Amino acid sequence: MKITTIVLAALGMAVSLAAPTTTAPPAVNGDKAVIGYFEPLHGFPIDQLDFNKYTHINYAFGAMWKGAPDPYVVYVDYATEGPKLKELVRRGHSKGVKIIMSIGGWYGSQTFSEVAADPLKRKKWIESAMVFLRPNTLGENAVLPDGWNMDGLDIDWEFPGRPGAICNTVAPNDTANYLLLLKEVRAQMDLEFPTNHKTITSAVSIFPWAGADGNPLTDIRAFIPVFDWVNIMVYDVHGPWSSSTGPNAPLYNAPTPGDPFSAQQAIDTWMTAGWPKEKIALGTPFYGRAFTATVNMNTRDPVTQYAPHTGVAPKGGPSDSNATYALCDEGAQFWGFWNWGEIRENILVDDSLTVPAAGWMRYWDNTTKTPWLFRESDSMYVSYDDPTSMSLKVDYARLHGLKGLFMWEAQMDYKDELLAVLNQIHCSSAACVCKGVGAWAAATVRATLICEDSYAKYGEVLCLHAFQLAQKNV
Ligand SMILES: *[C@@H]1O[C@H](CO)[C@@H](O)[C@H](O)[C@H]1NC(C)=O
Ligand SMILES: *[C@@H]1O[C@H](CO)[C@@H](O)[C@H](O)[C@H]1NC(C)=O
Ligand SMILES: *[C@@H]1O[C@H](CO)[C@@H](O)[C@H](O)[C@H]1NC(C)=O
């Protein structure tokens, strides 16, 4: 179904209707990004990635760990990962997709603090990272190329000035030193690639980097020139550590007893600290999180997704594992992860996405705009994202002029169902026909809503949400 373009004018002004287009493709918003984190280690074949639906793929991860022969350089197991890295770059580039080396992550950030603090270590680390960007001069068949021809570095230090995995070194000066490291990386890239811009991005938390006192910086403008954009990870907002069950990735803040964190909070916090909206990509999870509630969540009145729980994640979907991680032993525990693909194959087998398999109940939280599931037999609560909740996030990102969206992680999808929704960020000038929303024409925005193919299924939800945003003037 193709959608006519309607430009909605401010209250009191004429509503101008562009000529209906039934054949023209939707307007495309040129520089928007759909970024996929991809871990080849998890075994998903690279040829099953649809490169038409990504602008960037972040290879996860190059790592630093304390037991490595040299803990201060970026390590990739080239013997097993090298061929995949080559294939990813080759296939991606053939479709115009940028391939970025993501460095660090939860377990691979162990020595960032030491690297950033020492000029000589920084120099050596940068040299090891530049290898990913350089062209290979040793020929196609070289087992170990001297360059991997990638397009940028995504620095995933989790987290400067704040505890991450228990194996990390953390120091008060981390963030100040991080800026030094970033400036030197930028300078080296510009020196080696004066006419071929290589990107620097970073996966960041819902609060800006921590200052020497451990609190988020309130002015981060000094970082603007070194980053192309930051990837704000708005997921894992509630987990086993939280005081109640609650959404993994709320769009808006939860009411108490949920935690007051969300996509809206994260974007507001970063922008209040001086960060430009054009340099924000909003992170979304292609997975849900399970908890074991200590009450029957089906029979509470009113029904709510905030409940007491055991504080220990149960085994989530089939792939959820309690194996310890070789490079940093944090103990054997399940994560409670349910990939979207696993939710689709085991729980939401009905394409309506609202009728779960026997034993489960499915609910929608209209405050945080997230769906959740409950299974009474083992008191399992699962917070997750579906195409509807995802489309509201995309809508938010578009209406706020963000750079784009990304997901953790690409291979967790079901038949590209969620990925297709993220791609709605590319549509700019098309607007929705809002059936049944009479007041829409009086709304205040020049609504820029996507339409494309998924409109038929999700269009009305989107329209309603945009209408609410317009009314709130956010
Ligand atoms: C912290 O970093 C800043 C900038 O790199 C430097 O000037 C200062 O001396 C450092 N302080 C400590 C305690 O390392
Ligand atoms: C991991 O989970 C399995 C059950 O799936 C259990 O048998 C095993 O004891 C667990 N391992 C540890 C170390 O807790
Ligand atoms: C969700 O909340 C909005 C107000 O934000 C309201 O207009 C709408 O009817 C609600 N939808 C449901 C299903 O409760």
Side-chain angles (χ1 to χ4, degrees):
M1 168 172 182
K2 290 289 177 196
I3 303 308
T4 50
T5 298
I6 302 179
V7 177
L8 292 151
L11 183 64
M13 295 173 68
V15 174
S16 88
L17 296 177
T21 54
T22 49
T23 52
V28 169
N29 223 353
D31 66 341
K32 297 295 177 186
V34 173
I35 306 145
Y37 278 88
F38 177 60
E39 273 188 291
L41 265 181
H42 288 177
F44 187 81
I46 290 169
D47 63 7
Q48 283 180 34
L49 289 172
D50 183 351
F51 289 94
N52 294 315
K53 297 199 180 89
Y54 297 94
T55 59
H56 301 78
I57 293 199
N58 288 0
Y59 176 98
F61 289 102
M64 284 89 66
W65 86 96
K66 289 180 178 170
D70 185 341
Y72 307 119
V73 297
V74 187
Y75 177 82
V76 169
D77 178 0
Y78 294 114
T80 59
E81 297 297 288
K84 298 175 196 169
L85 195 47
K86 266 191 204 172
E87 186 189 352
L88 188 63
V89 171
R90 185 175 55 76
R91 284 185 187 269
H93 284 179
S94 77
K95 296 279 189 162
V97 177
K98 305 281 190 197
I99 309 296
I100 292 173
M101 175 51 73
S102 194
I103 302 171
W106 185 254
Y107 286 125
S109 296
Q110 295 176 21
T111 63
F112 258 128
S113 179
E114 292 145 82
V115 167
D118 176 348
L120 291 177
K121 289 196 178 84
R122 288 200 298 270
K123 197 165 190 300
K124 200 169 159 199
W125 185 91
I126 290 169
E127 176 56 29
S128 77
M130 291 302 292
V131 172
F132 298 113
L133 308 180
R134 291 178 187 143
N136 170 29
T137 65
L138 302 179
E140 266 298 290
N141 299 322
V143 176
L144 191 58
D146 60 347
W148 295 88
N149 202 21
M150 298 174 83
D151 304 291
L153 300 177
D154 178 58
I155 304 183
D156 275 11
W157 179 352
E158 299 185 13
F159 297 92
R162 249 184 238 145
I166 57 171
C167 305
N168 295 1
T169 303
V170 188
N173 227 15
D174 281 351
T175 297
N177 295 335
Y178 189 28
L179 185 56
L180 298 180
L181 174 68
L182 289 163
K183 284 180 174 168
E184 291 170 17
V185 174
R186 184 73 265 163
Q188 188 64 28
M189 284 180 173
D190 293 345
L191 183 71
E192 291 193 34
F193 303 98
T195 59
N196 175 13
H197 181 79
K198 302 284 184 180
T199 57
I200 306 180
T201 57
S202 181
V204 299
S205 91
I206 55 179
F207 289 100
W209 304 283
D213 61 1
N215 294 319
L217 294 180
T218 52
D219 182 352
I220 50 176
R221 286 173 297 176
F223 287 81
I224 297 173
V226 292
F227 279 122
D228 290 82
W229 69 85
V230 295
N231 297 316
I232 306 185
M233 300 184 281
V234 187
Y235 38 78
D236 302 336
V237 167
H238 289 85
W241 57 85
S242 303
S243 61
S244 83
T245 59
N248 184 36
L251 174 51
Y252 299 111
N253 282 7
T256 46
D259 295 327
F261 312 127
S262 63
Q264 180 188 42
Q265 165 271 315
I267 292 162
D268 285 354
T269 307
W270 277 80
M271 287 177 61
T272 303
W275 199 257
K277 60 186 186 331
E278 306 82 6
K279 290 197 177 194
I280 293 175
L282 173 60
T284 66
F286 278 17
Y287 65 91
R289 264 187 182 273
F291 300 61
T292 303
T294 51
V295 296
N296 182 350
M297 294 177 73
N298 288 333
T299 56
R300 299 205 304 167
D301 185 18
V303 172
T304 154
Q305 71 167 325
Y306 306 97
H309 63 105
T310 60
V312 179
K315 178 172 166 58
S319 71
D320 193 33
S321 162
N322 62 352
T324 56
Y325 190 66
L327 304 185
C328 178
D329 184 352
E330 292 195 295
Q333 71 234 325
F334 287 108
W335 299 84
F337 290 152
W338 275 96
N339 297 344
W340 174 242
E342 295 173 336
I343 291 176
R344 286 290 272 120
E345 281 164 7
N346 295 277
I347 309 176
L348 295 175
V349 293
D350 182 308
D351 282 341
S352 74
L353 305 186
T354 55
V355 182
W360 290 92
M361 292 288 286
R362 185 260 188 200
Y363 300 95
W364 173 258
D365 175 357
N366 202 27
T367 304
T368 61
K369 309 290 178 196
T370 53
W372 56 281
L373 294 155
F374 186 69
R375 181 168 64 188
E376 196 177 328
S377 61
D378 61 353
S379 297
M380 186 184 282
Y381 155 92
V382 182
S383 165
Y384 66 101
D385 275 83
D386 67 4
T388 303
S389 68
M390 225 28 118
S391 72
L392 299 177
K393 290 179 173 129
V394 176
D395 196 12
Y396 195 93
R398 192 180 39 256
L399 288 170
H400 288 78
L402 305 188
K403 171 73 181 171
L405 299 106
F406 69 96
M407 91 292 294
W408 180 267
E409 57 186 305
Q411 60 267 34
M412 294 175 173
D413 205 352
Y414 179 77
K415 297 182 179 172
D416 286 349
E417 216 164 46
L418 299 179
L419 179 60
V421 177
L422 295 196
N423 271 269
Q424 297 171 351
I425 191 71
H426 295 305
C427 308
S428 59
S429 63
C432 272
V433 180
C434 291
K435 283 186 241 131
V437 186
W440 173 251
T444 55
V445 286
R446 177 177 176 280
T448 53
L449 287 184
I450 53 84
C451 295
E452 288 199 298
D453 301 340
S454 57
Y455 173 82
K457 201 162 176 187
Y458 311 116
E460 287 188 43
V461 179
L462 276 174
C463 284
L464 184 58
H465 183 67
F467 177 59
Q468 289 161 358
L469 285 178
Q471 281 183 320
K472 282 193 266 175
N473 246 338
V474 291

